[in-house]
Amino acid sequence: MKTKQFHIIVGLCCILMGLGIIGRLSFAERTLPAWNPASILAGEEVDHSVGKCINIVDETGNMISQACRGVATGDEIINAEGKHYRVVKVDKDKAIVKSLGVDKRLLAWNEFYTDERLAMAAAAPKKGAVGVYHTHSAEAYVPTDGTESIPFKGGIYDVGQAFVERLKEKSGGEIIYDKTPHDPHDNAAYQRSRRTATKIMQQNPIAMIDVHRDGIPDPNYYSAKVADMDVSMLRLVVGRQNPHMQANLDFARRMMSYSNKVHPKIVKEIFMAKGNYNQDLMPTALLIEAGTHTNTKQQAENGVALFADAVPVVLGIEGGPATQAPGQGTGGGATGDGGSGGWKAVGWILGLTLLLGGGYILISTGSLKGLSDLGKEFTNYLGPLKKIGTKKSATKTKDQPEKTAGNADRAVIDQRDDVTED
């Protein structure tokens, strides 16, 4: 009977452990949305609110940047020249920044990518897809599309297609372009697009890029002449509220550095904004803004196509400079989640093995008569443990009188000996 009870406990433990492992893996694959309900309740403004412009100036009033997003204290900007600023005060439609000097990491990457010896040393090509999607799928370009917003089919899709086609041409690799719409353009758009980003993650991409356009009214803010073409320059956005922030930022630095080396001035700046933007999903996630709604769609398409020229080299998916940070030696470049896919497979096998093994043990003992029987068997199994404790206590109590009786007998013998001697 004791053997049967032991098997029951072992079977239950196996089932619970199996369910725990399988549940953990299933939960992890879902990837819960990283969002803060308080932000919606607090009435935070929606990103890319067309026409609403915040001027970002330094302490002497010089224009540093502009934004149509909710600028917050602590946001930072690194421009193409490497000048680094941090927002210290926000007052309605104006934000004031202080200078943090030059960004040494960006300058290091600039030097790295201009070293001709490195440029000539072809890196071993890597395999990896690039994921592309649109959180704000209604965004459009007024001069070309006739309006700044077209629900579910904004002009941003044409810009994304131009980016994907050029990227595929340059890398020769796989591009995962998910065109799922995420309307409406509200504070929950990033929660909806997170499902799309998570779906892309299941294909183990090497990077993910969320393509947007800005909402600054002035078209000249992004307009430029690059490679003899009229283009809209790009802004790269990194969310400050995610655990991969530093890795995402360094990826943005590399992209701006090499893009501007190949096509000078194509990337205008890096903006580190309050938010997550689903960039916690991987260290090579990036949000790009291809011009603004007052630029033409053709300008935006030209801009993203030139930007795409740099992506394969920076990611190491075509021959080119290695992607290590300067001074870190050799090793792998930017990747997704490494070998986690293999570990997940092992976890599923282990979980199913424990689950099935536990079920087999219970069935073989004939103990699956009902859930109530399991509780009864468990209680019965604990019974011997209680009896053992009770037995030890009783033995100890029993030994004590025997010891006392033995002492009494010894005293009688000693007394008898004394009488004999007398």
Side-chain angles (χ1 to χ4, degrees), residues 297-316:
K297 187 163 57 181
Q298 187 61 54
Q299 284 180 294
E301 290 176 7
N302 292 341
V304 294
L306 295 180
F307 178 73
D309 289 348
V311 175
V313 176
V314 172
L315 289 173

Side-chain angles (χ1 to χ4, degrees), residues 88-310:
V88 294
K89 183 180 179 181
V90 179
D91 184 13
K92 296 182 179 179
D93 61 350
K94 183 173 72 174
I96 300 174
V97 298
K98 72 172 183 178
S99 174
L100 300 179
V102 296
D103 187 78
K104 295 180 179 179
R105 293 288 294 172
L106 179 65
L107 297 183
W109 281 116
N110 288 344
E111 182 178 354
F112 177 74
Y113 284 127
T114 54
D115 189 325
E116 292 300 324
R117 292 170 300 176
L118 291 173
M120 292 174 61
K126 298 175 185 171
K127 298 294 183 181
V130 176
V132 180
Y133 67 104
H134 305 282
T135 291
H136 293 155
S137 45
E139 290 179 335
Y141 297 83
V142 175
T144 310
D145 296 319
T147 179
E148 74 273 359
S149 179
I150 305 176
F152 302 102
K153 53 181 180 178
I156 195 66
Y157 280 114
D158 294 327
V159 176
Q161 189 64 44
F163 176 66
V164 167
E165 290 177 359
R166 184 62 167 261
L167 185 55
K168 189 169 185 178
E169 176 188 337
K170 296 295 292 185
S171 68
E174 180 187 359
I175 311 299
I176 307 166
Y177 186 19
D178 195 314
K179 298 182 180 181
T180 302
H182 306 107
D183 291 359
H185 188 138
D186 57 15
N187 281 332
Y190 284 99
Q191 281 81 65
R192 291 189 291 273
S193 70
R194 189 174 181 84
R195 291 192 288 269
T196 297
T198 302
K199 181 180 176 182
I200 294 174
M201 284 291 295
Q202 293 174 356
Q203 301 181 58
N204 196 29
I206 198 170
M208 281 200 302
I209 299 177
D210 187 2
V211 181
H212 294 249
R213 63 108 177 98
D214 207 347
I216 295 172
D218 183 8
N220 294 322
Y221 184 77
Y222 284 103
S223 296
K225 194 88 170 179
V226 179
D228 296 325
M229 292 190 296
D230 290 324
V231 306
S232 292
M233 293 183 286
L234 280 73
R235 169 189 275 157
L236 312 183
V237 180
V238 175
R240 294 194 287 116
Q241 295 172 305
N242 81 84
H244 290 313
M245 188 267 180
Q246 290 302 324
N248 294 141
L249 176 57
D250 204 52
F251 177 46
R253 286 189 182 106
R254 287 184 282 146
M255 286 305 312
M256 182 163 73
S257 176
Y258 192 68
S259 296
N260 287 343
K261 173 187 179 296
V262 179
H263 300 297
K265 299 189 300 185
I266 191 62
V267 177
K268 188 177 184 68
E269 64 188 15
I270 300 170
F271 197 103
M272 288 156 272
K274 179 183 178 181
N276 178 280
Y277 308 117
N278 295 323
Q279 293 174 357
D280 61 300
L281 293 176
M282 67 184 308
T284 47
L286 194 59
L287 187 157
I288 66 174
E289 294 176 350
T292 186
H293 69 293
T294 52
N295 291 130
T296 68
K297 187 163 57 181
Q298 187 61 54
Q299 284 180 294
E301 290 176 7
N302 292 341
V304 294
L306 295 180
F307 178 73
D309 289 348

Side-chain angles (χ1 to χ4, degrees), residues 383-401:
L385 298 180
K386 294 180 179 180
K387 291 179 179 179
I388 292 172
T390 305
K391 184 176 180 181
K392 289 183 177 179
S393 177
T395 301
K396 184 175 180 181
T397 305
K398 182 179 179 181
D399 289 344
Q400 186 66 31

